[in-house]
């Protein structure tokens, strides 16, 4: 009985310490003139770089998120702008100014506002009417998609050990090499939206800490997918070391 009481007290102390370690961070994201609506705030583990939680800015460009600065760091990202990383609270100001990324997508300089919405299990990037799609392919578009990281021709989801590709919510059996070729040959203008599923439900067969990239094509483009086998494929395995 005495041992059980001690164990319970230690558990309560541990939970209380974890709660105290977390700090509620409130901030405002802007381009220097206007608030950035839908900027992505991600919190990652300092040792593993695994995603622990995240959110997006509201209609006024404001956000709040819990952070344990002893164990976690924050990344702020927005389509067409350079990401901002914060490893200590003292470096994070109340207002975060984002600078435009100089990289170009084809002939279009990235200056368009993104349309990003957050759901319980995923982040949705609506690109159907975006200037970002003109004259570019899917791989180029993914380089500026929130929560995505492209290293060479490898596609990753920030904070995930692996990723699976879905097309119109169906699993693809294309090999990793074939997927790269498919993304490079798929015109971005044929894409309706991109979904980054960070917490896949039981209906998905995913490995430990895997995410899903779900590309939803415009209705007129679905005919070309009938010949694609629809089974699961892993694109990247192993922990992510750099961002």
């Amino acid at each position: 009985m005495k041992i059980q009481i001690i164990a319970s007290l230690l558990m309560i102390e541990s939970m209380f310490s974890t709660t105290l370690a977390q700090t509620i961070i409130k901030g405002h994201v802007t381009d220097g003139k206007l608030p950035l609506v839908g900027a992505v705030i991600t919190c990652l583990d300092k040792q593993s770089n695994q995603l622990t939680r995240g959110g997006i800015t509201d209609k006024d460009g404001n956000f709040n998120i819990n952070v344990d600065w002893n164990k976690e760091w924050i990344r702020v990202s927005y389509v067409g702008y350079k990401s901002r990383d914060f490893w200590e609270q003292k470096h994070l100001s109340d207002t975060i100014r984002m600078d435009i990324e100089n990289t170009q997508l084809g002939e279009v300089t990235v200056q368009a506002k993104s349309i990003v919405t957050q759901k319980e299990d995923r982040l949705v990037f609506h690109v159907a009417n975006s200037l970002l799609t003109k004259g570019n392919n899917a791989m180029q578009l993914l380089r500026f998609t929130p929560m995505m990281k492209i290293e060479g021709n490898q596609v990753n989801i920030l904070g995930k050990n692996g990723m699976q590709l879905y097309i119109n919510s169906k699993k693809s059996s294309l090999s990793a090499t074939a997927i790269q070729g498919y993304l490079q040959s798929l015109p971005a203008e044929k894409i309706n939206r991109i979904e980054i599923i960070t917490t896949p439900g039981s209906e998905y067969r995913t490995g430990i800490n895997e995410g899903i990239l779900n590309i939803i094509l415009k209705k007129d483009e679905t005919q070309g997918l009938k010949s694609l086998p629809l089974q699961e494929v892993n694109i990247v395995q192993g922990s992510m070391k750099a961002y």
Side-chain angles (χ1 to χ4, degrees), residues 38-98:
V40 180
I41 317 298
T42 49
C43 187
L44 300 103
D45 184 87
K46 286 183 177 180
Q47 291 188 345
S48 66
N49 279 333
Q50 290 187 1
L51 178 68
T52 55
R53 68 189 66 84
I56 62 176
T57 54
D58 60 21
K59 62 182 179 63
D60 298 314
N62 298 322
F63 72 91
N64 66 77
I65 190 171
N66 291 327
V67 183
D68 180 353
W69 289 105
N70 294 323
K71 300 178 180 179
E72 300 168 330
W73 61 281
I74 287 179
R75 166 166 288 187
V76 181
S77 57
Y78 191 79
V79 175
Y81 291 76
K82 298 177 181 178
S83 296
R84 299 283 307 277
D85 294 343
F86 301 94
W87 289 75
E88 297 180 33
Q89 185 175 4
K90 64 181 181 181
H91 297 146
L92 180 65
S93 59
D94 293 336
T95 298
I96 301 172
R97 176 172 175 169
M98 306 292 284

Side-chain angles (χ1 to χ4, degrees), residues 159-172:
K160 293 296 177 180
N161 293 343
M163 191 194 78
Q164 298 175 11
L165 174 68
Y166 277 55
I167 302 170
N168 288 342
S169 300
K170 295 181 179 180
K171 293 177 284 188
S172 169

Side-chain angles (χ1 to χ4, degrees), residues 167-185:
I167 302 170
N168 288 342
S169 300
K170 295 181 179 180
K171 293 177 284 188
S172 169
S173 66
L174 296 173
S175 67
T177 301
I179 287 174
Q180 294 169 10
Y182 173 73
L183 294 175
Q184 290 170 345
S185 63

